[in-house]
Amino acid sequence: EDQVTQSPEALRLQEGESSSLNCSYTVSGLRGLFWYRQDPGKGPEFLFTLYSAGEEKEKERLKATLTKKESFLHITAPKPEDSATYLCAVQAKNTDKLIFGTGTRLQVFP
Amino acid sequence: ETGVTQTPRHLVMGMTNKKSLKCEQHLGHNAMYWYKQSAKKPLELMFVYNFKEQTENNSVPSRFSPECPNSSHLFLHLHTLQPEDSALYLCASSQGNRDTNTEAFFGQGTRLTVV
């Protein structure tokens, strides 16, 4: 069964304190792995798509990496505005389904 | 603005009411999704439509009835709901072409409260 597990469940960082969020997955043939950011009361906002092991993508203070079993979202020198829940999802080949993890709730304090 | 618009943003309904949620996308996509988001749980896929055909039904109770009249519009008809159906209902769309890798874009959701 396709599955996504995210850790930690919650993360508190001081402004400027870099860290990483983990997304472990099992899927029957990966079509894509997706990272989203979600603010309270809003819909998820698309960040990155990763297609194959070894791939990396960057956007401002965020960098996403992918292996055959997991993905990391690295946050460098975070700011309070980076506070949000970060969601990971996978999509298997020959399916329209996106399977989500429970997310990591990130809080960045000044 | 993601190009996916959901209405209403908030809805309170009694257990005997009938209501509908609406989703419209302006991205030229062919696949549309309904997800349910409850506290402390991952997003739960409910339905997927690809080129107006339902391709996924994740064992959703019949009190939820989807309708996809065209690739730009998706509805979720609600009737005789239960309090445990209270949640954030999210609509999303994607290219829908299984030969390409494609991300889904979400609307802002409808916060549903069943009383």
Side-chain angles (χ1 to χ4, degrees):
Chain A
E1 183 182 340
D2 300 337
Q3 195 170 338
V4 176
T5 303
Q6 290 188 247
S7 62
E9 185 176 319
L11 182 61
R12 292 164 57 98
L13 297 175
Q14 203 72 33
E15 184 173 2
E17 180 187 0
S18 301
S19 188
S20 296
L21 313 182
N22 177 264
C23 171
S24 297
Y25 66 92
T26 54
V27 65
S28 53
L30 181 68
R31 181 178 169 194
L33 184 141
F34 308 89
W35 282 100
Y36 288 85
R37 169 193 170 128
Q38 187 174 24
D39 293 300
K42 295 190 175 182
E45 174 190 345
F46 169 74
L47 294 174
F48 303 109
T49 307
L50 299 167
Y51 301 129
S52 57
E55 189 174 1
E56 299 182 353
K57 288 198 176 170
E58 286 187 69
K59 179 181 179 180
E60 296 180 353
R61 295 177 292 282
L62 300 177
K63 178 180 176 180
T65 62
L66 181 65
T67 72
K68 288 186 178 180
K69 293 183 179 180
E70 58 190 351
S71 176
F72 290 94
L73 185 66
H74 306 279
I75 303 177
T76 302
K79 298 182 178 182
E81 53 261 42
D82 294 322
S83 298
T85 296
Y86 290 85
L87 301 171
C88 173
V90 296
Q91 189 172 41
K93 293 180 180 178
N94 300 315
T95 178
D96 297 317
K97 285 184 184 181
L98 275 176
I99 307 299
F100 280 84
T102 51
T104 294
R105 189 174 68 256
L106 173 66
Q107 292 179 289
V108 182
F109 295 91
Chain B
E1 178 59 53
T2 65
V4 180
T5 303
Q6 291 187 242
T7 55
R9 292 293 311 278
H10 301 273
L11 178 62
V12 179
M13 59 185 289
M15 289 189 285
T16 59
N17 290 161
K18 288 184 180 182
K19 296 286 184 184
S20 296
L21 310 185
K22 179 183 176 182
C23 177
E24 183 174 1
Q25 59 96 0
H26 305 278
L27 300 170
H29 289 164
N30 294 300
M32 296 189 77
Y33 309 72
W34 280 118
Y35 278 88
K36 175 183 178 182
Q37 188 174 35
S38 306
K40 303 291 186 183
K41 290 185 177 181
L43 271 74
E44 299 173 55
L45 178 66
M46 299 176 73
F47 303 102
V48 182
Y49 280 81
N50 200 332
F51 289 89
K52 300 190 298 178
E53 297 296 321
Q54 188 180 112
T55 58
E56 299 285 349
N57 178 335
N58 204 26
S59 302
V60 180
S62 59
R63 56 186 184 271
F64 295 91
S65 175
E67 179 190 359
C68 188
N70 55 60
S71 293
S72 299
H73 294 86
L74 184 64
F75 296 88
L76 188 63
H77 304 298
L78 316 171
H79 63 98
T80 59
L81 294 191
Q82 304 299 312
E84 59 264 30
D85 296 321
S86 299
L88 182 67
Y89 288 84
L90 291 161
C91 173
S93 71
S94 70
Q95 287 283 0
N97 182 342
R98 292 186 179 179
D99 293 329
T100 65
N101 295 310
T102 177
E103 54 276 354
F105 292 90
F106 284 81
Q108 297 289 41
T110 295
R111 172 65 63 184
L112 173 66
T113 304
V114 181
V115 297

